[in-house]
């Protein structure tokens, strides 16, 4: 009898610990094929990984070439389970993966090539590997390997496009980036840090799971790396229809943040003074559409996404990754009282509108009404303080959607590459007729198909079956699900009384996690 594994969204939490651009592989696909999470690396092999990493890290400046090659040999052979003869190195790099670029007067070629047999028994190239010096960033422009002054990431991407091969791996010994390229499009990628492998073993397990020998030569075809990636792309279309709801949720978060900024001691009502509800909503909608267009443009190479200067100073995709890291490392209070992410977004909006001739950016002026910085002066007011925590929640809402897996829902990355401009326009048209208003009393925001918002006064005094029926009608859940989620004391005869906080705690499993409560008088 086949063992049935429990699918849990926590089993692939490692995805939040790596840098991702676009949808290379989705969480539902990972959860379906690896329901217990990444395959656990053997402890002996993992201890050897730590030892080899320490040797490389300590000696990487003394004799970088020797210790880098030793470290890479260990990763590609011992750790991932390939044989030395599986890899072709200089001077045996196949001619078909050497590309002469006449437009930049440079020859591109990989450092190593993984080859193997296809279904017909013919030799086939599986993966191109580019190894760069330890001190060189994957995203930083370099000139040592030719006259073309671009990053190693850009060079490997171009090589993959020219050879029409889908998979590449680039590393400086510290960072390991897996790329997936489709013809004519910018690559999706995941970047692992070797340092994180040591701090969080699950990320090392995930790297091994996705890039080990079995992902390239497996009798189970559906578990081959390329097939896992393509399955993720195919299933992506199923969740793009949710994007309108995701954007509306983000608008609600932004509107609530504007309201808090307006009532803050510094503003005392000055921020939104004289602005009617329609304009507040329109302003919030336009900010979200700016972010949607930026995410779309970054995935389609309409912005210099993938270039170090742009990503670190302006890029929205990289900003979400940075905020993920900040959220893990900072106390919640500090995260909610930092505001630099909003300032960065304002700078990006102006950059897109005005353009920039600097060679590290080289962005044309796009102009347009949506990005016009003078359209809503209130956004640049010193009173308009939107916290990093809010920006993080907004970007998560725009970047991830719920995907059903069995009986559970898990988060899946949204690929803006699968969305066309007409779809974005359709979503915009579906949102323009909304507005905002102020709550006449305290409201609870429940989860459910209709996303019901109900007065908190309605649950006061309810108990037992009366409360269960009330939650069933609101959320659409089955009674068995409701009984399981309700706290034990409320299942008995104890009525819901007490403070607002106590009432919220009672029904917390049924409330929106980002915004469970709307206070009286709030937008």
């Amino acid at each position: 009898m086949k063992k049935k594994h429990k699918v849990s969204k926590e089993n692939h939490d490692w995805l939040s610990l790596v840098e991702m651009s676009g949808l290379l592989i989705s969480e539902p696909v990972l959860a379906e094929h690896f329901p217990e999470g990444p395959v656990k690396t053997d402890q002996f092999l993992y201890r050897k990984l730590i030892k080899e990493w320490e040797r490389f890290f300590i000696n990487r400046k003394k004799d970088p070439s020797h210790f880098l090659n030793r470290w890479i040999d260990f990763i590609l052979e011992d750790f991932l389970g390939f044989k030395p003869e599986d890899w072709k190195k200089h001077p045996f790099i196949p001619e078909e993966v050497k590309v002469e670029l006449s437009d930049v007067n440079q020859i591109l070629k990989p450092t190593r090539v993984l080859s193997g047999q296809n279904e017909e028994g013919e030799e086939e190239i599986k993966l191109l590997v580019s190894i760069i010096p330890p001190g060189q960033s994957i995203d930083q422009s370099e000139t040592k390997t030719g006259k073309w002054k671009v990053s190693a990431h850009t060079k490997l991407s171009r090589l993959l496009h020219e050879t029409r091969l889908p998979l590449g791996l680039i590393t400086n010994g510290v960072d390991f980036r897996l790329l997936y390229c489709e013809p004519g499009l910018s690559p999706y990628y995941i970047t692992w840090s070797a340092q994180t492998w040591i701090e969080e073993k699950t990320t090392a397990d995930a790297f091994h799971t996705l890039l080990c020998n079995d992902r390239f030569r497996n009798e189970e075809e559906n578990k081959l790396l390329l097939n896992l990636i393509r399955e993720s792309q195919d299933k992506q279309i199923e969740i793009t229809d949710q994007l309108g709801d995701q954007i509306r949720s983000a608008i609600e978060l932004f509107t609530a943040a504007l309201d808090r900024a307006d009532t803050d001691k510094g503003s005392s009502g000055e921020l939104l003074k004289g602005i009617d509800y329609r304009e507040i909503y329109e302003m919030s909608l336009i900010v979200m559409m700016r972010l949607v267009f930026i995410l779309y443009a970054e995935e389609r190479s309409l912005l210099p996404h993938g270039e170090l200067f742009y990503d670190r100073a302006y890029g929205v995709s990289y900003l979400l990754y940075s905020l993920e890291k900040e959220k893990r490392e900072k106390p919640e209070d500090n995260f909610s009282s930092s505001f630099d992410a909003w300032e960065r977004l304002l700078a990006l909006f102006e950059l897109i509108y005005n353009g920039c001739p600097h060679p590290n950016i080289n962005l044309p002026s796009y102009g347009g009404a949506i990005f016009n910085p003078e359209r809503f002066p209130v956004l640049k007011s010193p009173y308009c303080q939107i916290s990093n925590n809010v920006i993080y929640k907004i970007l998560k809402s725009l970047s991830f959607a719920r995907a059903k897996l069995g009986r559970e829902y898990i988060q899946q990355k949204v690929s803006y590459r699968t969305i066309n401009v007409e779809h974005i326009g359709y979503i915009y048209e579906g949102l323009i007729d909304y507005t905002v208003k102020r709550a006449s009393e305290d409201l609870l925001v429940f989860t459910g198909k209709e996303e019901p918002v109900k007065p908190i006064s309605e649950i006061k005094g309810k108990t037992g079956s009366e409360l269960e029926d009330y939650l069933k009608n609101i959320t659409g859940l089955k009674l068995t699900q409701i009984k399981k989620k309700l706290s034990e004391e409320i299942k008995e005869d104890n009525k819901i009384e007490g403070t607002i906080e106590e009432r919220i705690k009672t029904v917390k499993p049924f409330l929106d996690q980002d915004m469970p409560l709307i206070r009286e008088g709030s937008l």
Side-chain angles (χ1 to χ4, degrees), residues 98-108 147-148 158 162:
K98 297 177 184 177
V99 176
E100 185 173 357
L101 303 178
S102 56
D103 56 334
V104 292
N105 191 27
Q106 186 166 354
I107 295 176
L108 295 181
K147 296 180 180 179
W148 193 23
R158 178 74 182 271
E162 294 287 340

Side-chain angles (χ1 to χ4, degrees), residues 309-519:
F309 191 84
Y310 171 83
D311 282 347
R312 300 301 192 267
Y314 297 101
V316 169
S317 301
Y318 187 81
L319 175 59
L320 177 56
Y321 167 71
S322 300
L323 291 174
E324 284 269 16
K325 187 176 180 183
E326 183 181 339
K327 188 176 189 296
R328 290 195 304 269
E329 296 174 353
K330 272 190 176 183
E332 183 68 26
D333 290 344
N334 290 359
F335 192 48
S336 297
S337 58
S338 299
F339 305 95
D340 55 294
W342 173 240
E343 297 295 328
R344 171 172 164 157
L345 289 179
L346 290 176
L348 175 58
F349 298 158
E350 298 225 12
L351 177 75
I352 292 171
Y353 185 80
N354 295 312
C356 177
H358 192 283
N360 286 339
I361 296 285
N362 194 24
L363 191 68
S365 170
Y366 283 107
I370 283 185
F371 283 94
N372 187 346
E374 305 306 319
R375 185 172 178 181
F376 299 109
V378 68
L379 295 175
K380 297 192 289 183
S381 165
Y383 299 132
C384 188
Q385 296 287 302
I386 312 296
S387 75
N388 285 9
N389 192 25
V390 170
I391 298 299
Y392 166 74
K393 289 178 178 179
I394 287 172
L395 293 182
K396 284 283 281 188
S397 187
L398 297 180
S399 301
F400 290 84
R402 291 202 320 159
K404 193 169 185 180
L405 184 66
R407 295 182 178 180
E408 289 195 14
Y409 282 92
I410 63 177
Q411 291 294 307
Q412 177 172 341
K413 190 91 163 58
V414 174
S415 172
Y416 281 83
R417 187 180 292 174
T418 62
I419 300 167
N420 56 42
V421 174
E422 290 77 15
H423 192 173
I424 294 175
Y426 175 77
I427 291 170
Y428 174 73
E429 289 174 2
L431 291 169
I432 55 178
D433 289 332
Y434 285 89
T435 188
V436 297
K437 65 178 183 179
R438 295 201 176 274
S440 58
E441 59 181 303
D442 292 327
L443 303 170
L444 290 177
V445 184
F446 288 88
T447 56
K449 289 184 178 179
E450 304 301 324
E451 297 180 9
V453 178
K454 297 291 183 180
I456 196 171
S457 57
E458 286 190 4
I459 65 169
K460 185 176 181 180
K462 283 186 167 52
T463 186
S465 59
E466 184 185 8
L467 177 62
E468 290 168 2
D469 289 338
Y470 177 80
L471 292 172
K472 179 177 180 292
N473 291 332
I474 287 176
T475 63
L477 294 173
K478 296 178 180 178
L479 277 176
T480 52
Q481 294 171 301
I482 289 169
K483 290 176 185 289
K484 187 176 180 181
K485 287 186 175 185
L486 268 178
S487 56
E488 289 298 325
E489 60 270 19
I490 301 304
K491 289 179 186 177
E492 306 304 325
D493 293 331
N494 298 322
K495 293 182 179 181
I496 300 179
E497 303 289 351
T499 64
I500 289 175
E501 289 74 17
E502 288 171 344
R503 290 187 224 172
I504 291 174
K505 185 178 179 182
T506 302
V507 293
K508 187 178 179 181
F510 307 94
L511 300 180
D512 183 282
Q513 292 184 4
D514 290 329
M515 196 166 63
L517 173 69
I518 300 173
R519 299 306 299 260

Side-chain angles (χ1 to χ4, degrees), residues 173-206:
V174 178
D175 296 316
F176 290 77
R177 177 173 295 175
L178 173 66
L179 293 86
Y180 170 71
C181 277
E182 291 180 322
L185 297 172
S186 58
Y188 292 144
Y189 63 81
I190 300 177
T191 309
W192 285 266
S193 164
Q195 184 60 52
T196 309
W197 290 345
I198 311 307
E199 297 166 358
E200 298 282 350
K201 182 178 180 292
T202 182
T203 61
D205 294 339

Side-chain angles (χ1 to χ4, degrees), residues 132 136-138 140 142 150-157 170:
I132 60 177
Q136 181 184 320
S137 167
I138 290 175
Q140 192 167 11
E142 53 90 26
V150 294
S151 66
H153 169 92
T154 301
K155 290 185 177 182
L156 182 57
S157 301
I170 184 169

